Amino acid sequence: MSIVVTGATGHLGRHVIDQLLEKVPAEQVTAVVRYEAKAADLAARGVKLAVADYNAPETFDHVFSAGDKVLLISGSEVGNDRVGQHRVVIEAAKAAGVALLAYTSAPGALKAALADDHRGTEEILLGSGVPYVLLRNGWYHENYTENLAPVLEHNAVVQAAGDGRVSSASRADYAAAAVAVLTGEGHENKTYELGGDEAWSFAEYAAELSKQTGKEIVYNPVSVEAFTGILAGAGLPEPVAAIIAGVDASVEKGELVVDSGDLSRLAGRPTSTIADAITAALKG
């Protein structure tokens, strides 16, 4: 029996592999990667590699074995046929007879277009008959803190979220929940709504940035249309910019506040704060 992680060289995947290796021997972990060279460091740690591509179904023919526990990390290509990509993995897992397939989804309350691919994938997974876990991941701190350069350049946080709040957590927090499910028992056919312990607003985010940088950084709320234009101007394709800006409309409606407590319960510790993430980003 292996624990198999797709998208293993992505941001979340690397956290999952790192935390898995703290709990199980490396030979029990298989990393599914698109490019073997990107995973040389994982192979050096004793992790098995399987080279496969969501866009090439035949590459998944021999990735899974009966009894495996699988983490399907959702594809990152927003705007592409992510549901079709995920179907490839689910069908291969079903054919192999895996014991569990956990999927990184989106909060159940999220109505933004970004959630459509996740709802479509959930439908396929639930219809497949494979024992499943839905890890409905909320927003990541890093979605904001990894791109602080323009904020610090203009001394402004620009979003289209009004006074809405976000229950974000770090990728490491969400990885801890996934690892708990993959290495634990009794999670079959469960849905977990995952989010940080503390919700925050963008005004509070700007205030925390001001406090930590010593600069006066303001929150400048704009319309969804204006934010779409800003993102497109920064180089995002317009359809993708519209999807990202649409998430802010959902934030304003409270759809990214997750108060289930599932994430800290699964992780076995409190989640990290947005202030922690800002500190880490400024140091980095």
Side-chain angles (χ1 to χ4, degrees), residues 164-175:
R165 303 180 78 76
V166 181
S167 301
S168 66
S170 69
R171 289 194 184 106
D173 291 331
Y174 291 106

Side-chain angles (χ1 to χ4, degrees), residues 186-206:
H187 298 288
E188 290 83 357
N189 304 332
K190 297 274 181 71
T191 297
Y192 296 112
E193 297 287 347
L194 304 177
D197 295 335
E198 297 176 26
W200 50 269
S201 69
F202 283 100
E204 291 165 348
Y205 177 60

Side-chain angles (χ1 to χ4, degrees), residues 53-73:
D53 188 331
Y54 292 157
N55 297 308
E58 67 281 359
T59 61
F60 276 92
D61 284 351
H62 304 292
V63 168
F64 306 121
S65 300
D68 284 351
K69 290 184 175 180
V70 178
L71 177 64
L72 168 52
I73 295 180

Side-chain angles (χ1 to χ4, degrees), residues 107-187:
L110 185 64
K111 303 293 188 287
L114 186 73
D116 292 349
D117 289 348
H118 294 298
R119 297 292 94 85
T121 301
E122 288 185 4
E123 198 174 315
I124 293 166
L125 180 52
L126 268 62
S128 71
V130 173
Y132 68 87
V133 179
L134 300 181
L135 296 169
R136 287 180 168 168
N137 286 1
W139 230 222
Y140 302 144
H141 295 327
E142 293 92 342
N143 291 346
Y144 304 107
T145 59
E146 278 184 350
N147 192 26
L148 287 179
V151 173
L152 300 178
E153 183 185 341
H154 300 290
N155 294 327
V157 172
V158 180
Q159 300 283 156
D163 297 324
R165 303 180 78 76
V166 181
S167 301
S168 66
S170 69
R171 289 194 184 106
D173 291 331
Y174 291 106
V179 168
V181 163
L182 293 168
T183 59
E185 299 298 332
H187 298 288

